[in-house]
Amino acid sequence: MKNISASKGTISIAKYAKTGAETLKQTHKVPAVTDNLPPIGIKGTDKFLKTVNKLSGYDIIDTLMTERGLTLDLMADVSARYLAGRKVVIFGDPTLVTGLTSLVIELGMEVVMVTTGSEEKNISYRY
């Protein structure tokens, strides 16, 4: 925590936690990314890793790319046999709900309702 002002960037994966990233940006000029989906599913994880790559300058390691390919293969097999077309209702914390919604759509499932107990009115993601 002593050297947080020297970090290469801050990624907020929860809407309610973005104030910390924004404060570091304002007070110490640390780049802040506050619009990420949580790293759940392929889309969210890809966006997260691209953001880490952009902030750090480090390449995404080959083993992660291999694991991504294996995960896509597994998702395709499981989805085609068991999940495609299933109807899903998702309820929970806004951050988890957005990540899980993205994941179940990637699996070919039909999201019929998404709800949270939050009073936040500005929660919107495009899938």
Side-chain angles (χ1 to χ4, degrees), residues 13 36-45 75 90 93-107 111 114 123 125 127:
I13 58 173
N36 263 17
L37 279 170
I40 299 173
I42 297 297
K43 184 177 180 180
T45 302
M75 288 171 68
I90 300 173
D93 173 80
T95 301
L96 287 176
V97 163
T98 55
L100 290 173
T101 300
S102 182
L103 173 62
V104 298
I105 289 170
E106 290 172 1
L107 291 169
V111 179
V114 177
I123 298 173
Y125 288 100
Y127 302 102

Side-chain angles (χ1 to χ4, degrees), residues 9-14 18 21-22 25 30-36 47 51-52 54-55:
T10 304
I11 304 170
S12 170
I13 58 173
K18 70 180 181 178
E22 290 170 345
K25 182 178 181 179
V30 174
V33 179
T34 59
D35 64 344
N36 263 17
K47 189 170 182 184
T51 302
V52 170
K54 183 178 176 184
L55 291 173

